[in-house]
Amino acid sequence: GRVWTSESAGNSRIRHAWIGPDKTRWAVSADSLSHWQAGQTRHVIMDDYPARRYYDWIMDPGGTFWLATSDGLIRYSPTAWRAAQTDSEAGVSGHCLTTDQEGKVWFVSGAKLHALDDSGHKDYPISGPQISPVGIPRAIFALPGGKILIDGTESLFEFNVPTGEITPLPPDAPNQRFKPLGVLNDGSLL
């Protein structure tokens, strides 16, 4: 690579260091394996993998890595289910969840619509004087053209991702409310 950064390793004599797929930093010294997140100064020693000596490592494209140790091979694989690490909204609980065509995960929490992807977390307010409160949403759906449909307590709302605007959708007929069930492969609502 052409871009290098340095991070403190304390008193450890690191033999190998790498960045995992979830941006976790890993390091191996002769007798320890440790990890930390970017910007942290404290390294967490992995006591789960006790080995007298660490010699070499190799990483698979999916993030699994192998360590050659005095006690044999050790395989590390990230867990399949893990909490998303966000800088701004750690611990946010969501009511509904969907993914869009670009792979972003969308959910509603409080009076905000949240989007998570590999680049991070972004939230959008879903309240304002021009719309009635969304309430606790029953469901959200990703639609073609960068739109998110929110099934609110009293009515439906359409969020336009490119513009950041949210608009209430009028019912098809007075005293009648459309209840979306899902999105078909062609992007139309069921």
Side-chain angles (χ1 to χ4, degrees), residues 107-124:
F107 65 95
V108 176
S109 180
K112 292 182 180 179
L113 178 65
H114 299 262
L116 287 173
D117 64 7
D118 291 336
S119 65
H121 170 257
K122 191 167 185 183
D123 58 52
Y124 305 89

Side-chain angles (χ1 to χ4, degrees), residues 21-73:
D22 55 357
K23 298 188 175 72
T24 299
R25 274 75 169 141
W26 292 90
V28 172
S29 68
D31 59 358
S32 69
L33 169 66
S34 60
H35 66 89
W36 68 99
Q37 294 296 323
Q40 289 183 339
T41 56
R42 187 174 152 267
H43 295 211
V44 178
I45 304 286
M46 297 290 292
D47 294 329
D48 301 351
Y49 302 104
R52 290 175 297 219
R53 283 278 198 229
Y54 292 92
Y55 297 115
D56 206 356
W57 73 279
I58 189 168
M59 185 164 58
D60 293 339
T64 299
F65 61 84
W66 297 81
L67 297 167
T69 74
S70 57
D71 298 329
L73 284 175

Side-chain angles (χ1 to χ4, degrees), residues 97-111:
L97 189 68
T98 192
T99 58
D100 64 14
Q101 294 82 4
E102 297 173 2
K104 284 185 183 173
V105 175
W106 294 87
F107 65 95
V108 176
S109 180

